[in-house]
Amino acid sequence: MLNGALIGCGFFAQNQLRAWAEAGDAGIVALCDRDAARLAATAARFGIARTYDDAAEMLARERPDFVDIATTVASHVPLVTLAARAGVPVICQKPFTETLAEAAELVETCRRAGVKLMVHENFRWQAPIRAVRRVLDEGEIGQPFWARIAFRSAYDVYAGQPYLAEGSRFIIQDLGIHLLDVARFLFGEVTTLAARTQRVNPRIAGEDVATMMLGHAAGVTTVVDCSYASAQERELFPQSLIEIDGARGTLRLGADYELVVHADGATRRETVAPDEARWGPAPWHGIQHSVFDIQEHFIACLRGGREPETSGADNLRTLALVEAAYLSAQRGGAPVDPAAL
Ligand code: NAD
Ligand code: 89V
């Protein structure tokens, strides 16, 4: 059994703790939060007796097998550094850091300390996205040449995560980051990115709409578009809709996780929904199971000495896309080469 410690008992940590509670050979034995009320409520909810208001003290006393950092981005640099110094393997929530330079420094710090580092970049672990990747890997629609990854919603994310309304950066840094990572996961590295952003909701500080066009080294063109200002007849939060055109046919991941593959003149349909009974309540079941899967992956990597798929080093490339998108938007949509950042 691997004993973990978790820092940050806020909104999303509840999902992480639910998943840890189901893990077979790992669990959380100690919690830390500076907010005493949140700490106490979370400790009671998950039956975790050992609690701390100071992360350094927790790591020194508990000497855990890993630490799960579930705080917001501003605290990631000091907390990951602390874990590296204590020699404790780390999972850190996205966005990993506010700047690419800080992220590169943390990756180097962990490398030098010999500490495994994974970013909790979970969208690519969603069952429908894994199903899309399988279709591509099996060559069913041939070589892809065009794709769209879309997330359009009017779900009130600010109710659960009020800080999302406050930062000068919003949708690309919080949600677009997941979709850009999915684009990398499906089609490989990106050599050019052009973006346009908009703010529709006047009550928030950052952008709530972003449209990005990516050129992948493998030749695919991907449109990644996201919005939290799009009220539709049916609210599909948190579903990502995916369209891919390939040399032999097309793939569509539509509403309610319906996957339609049309290739060589024949069409097949399949539902690739996560199990609501197991991962509910809806609509967060669409995300919850991916939290379980990414945490299982981390434990398997710890046990097997493997590098996690979304290691800190890998995540630098996703963060570069985020930076490229903001830079391109600032430059009026001019294309940016993420490798040059
Ligand atoms: P939150 O503000 O609800 O919770 C963060 C908690 O961390 C707070 O209780 C705060 O007191 C605590 N904290 C902050 N700094 C601390 C420190 N140094 N020591 C101890 N405690 C500290 O935030 P949230 O909505 O839970 O988001 C946390 C992170 O999870 C964010 O980075 C967010 O982007 C990410 N997130 C990811 C997903 C996903 O699907 N991967 C979904 C939602 C949120
Ligand atoms: O996944 C996330 O990072 C969340 C949400 C889906 C609400 O954007 O913040």
Side-chain angles (χ1 to χ4, degrees):
M1 179 83 175
L2 292 179
N3 292 325
L6 181 140
I7 309 172
C9 299
F11 172 78
F12 201 70
Q14 309 303 312
N15 296 58
Q16 291 168 229
L17 287 162
R18 266 186 62 201
W20 284 124
E22 285 198 32
D25 60 352
I28 298 296
V29 297
L31 294 174
C32 172
D33 201 299
R34 286 174 174 163
D35 181 316
R38 281 184 162 189
L39 181 63
T42 306
R45 183 174 178 206
F46 292 97
I48 299 169
R50 302 211 288 273
T51 59
Y52 297 83
D53 62 8
D54 182 75
E57 189 192 340
M58 178 172 75
L59 296 190
R61 285 211 191 174
E62 298 291 335
R63 300 184 164 278
D65 296 315
F66 66 92
V67 62
D68 190 357
I69 300 175
T71 58
T72 43
V73 65
S75 54
H76 291 173
V77 171
L79 292 175
V80 173
T81 306
L82 188 71
R85 287 195 185 131
V88 179
V90 193
I91 310 177
C92 180
Q93 258 297 350
K94 50 57 66 179
F96 183 37
T97 56
E98 276 161 324
T99 69
L100 198 48
E102 286 172 327
E105 206 175 313
L106 285 187
V107 169
E108 182 56 15
T109 301
C110 289
R111 192 194 63 76
R112 270 195 258 112
V115 156
K116 208 172 277 305
L117 167 66
M118 182 182 86
V119 177
H120 186 121
E121 180 44 80
N122 54 318
F123 267 41
R124 65 159 73 190
W125 286 93
Q126 290 177 11
I129 287 165
R130 293 275 149 173
V132 168
R133 170 72 186 255
R134 275 196 298 277
V135 172
L136 295 180
D137 286 350
E138 283 161 14
E140 230 181 315
I141 62 164
Q143 179 63 39
F145 59 86
W146 179 91
R148 177 181 176 205
I149 303 172
F151 186 111
R152 312 197 73 79
S153 170
Y155 184 82
D156 183 9
V157 277
Y158 316 108
Q161 298 165 264
Y163 57 89
L164 294 178
E166 291 157 14
S168 58
R169 290 181 168 189
F170 166 37
I171 202 166
I172 298 175
Q173 191 183 53
D174 180 67
L175 173 73
I177 194 169
H178 290 306
L179 308 180
L180 291 167
D181 187 68
V182 167
R184 285 188 54 233
F185 174 62
L186 295 178
F187 308 116
E189 299 311 333
V190 173
T191 51
T192 174
L193 189 153
R196 185 175 155 93
T197 59
Q198 293 154 276
R199 177 170 56 225
V200 176
N201 181 343
R203 290 179 300 282
I204 68 167
E207 81 291 351
D208 52 1
V209 178
T211 309
M212 298 166 266
M213 189 172 83
L214 283 55
H216 295 262
V220 185
T221 301
T222 306
V223 176
V224 174
D225 60 288
C226 48
S227 166
Y228 272 125
S230 302
Q232 303 180 66
E233 187 182 14
R234 284 195 50 224
E235 175 53 68
L236 294 177
F237 178 90
Q239 296 180 44
S240 305
L241 307 186
I242 299 184
E243 300 170 52
I244 306 174
D245 293 359
R248 284 179 49 205
T250 57
L251 172 157
R252 300 291 181 260
L253 175 64
D256 302 323
Y257 307 102
E258 189 188 40
L259 181 65
V260 181
V261 180
H262 178 82
D264 300 330
T267 302
R268 71 172 179 85
R269 287 166 204 281
E270 160 184 19
T271 299
V272 288
D275 180 0
E276 191 181 329
R278 174 156 187 220
W279 301 112
W284 286 89
H285 69 297
I287 287 180
Q288 180 62 29
H289 80 93
S290 69
V291 172
F292 178 84
D293 286 351
I294 195 172
Q295 291 180 180
E296 290 282 284
H297 173 65
F298 181 70
I299 296 303
C301 289
L302 276 190
R303 289 199 182 284
R306 284 187 288 134
E307 191 70 349
E309 244 187 56
T310 57
S311 65
D314 177 85
N315 196 253
L316 292 180
R317 293 170 187 259
T318 294
L319 276 179
L321 300 189
V322 169
E323 282 306 322
Y326 282 113
L327 187 59
S328 170
Q330 196 188 318
R331 292 179 178 168
V336 172
D337 174 1
L341 296 176

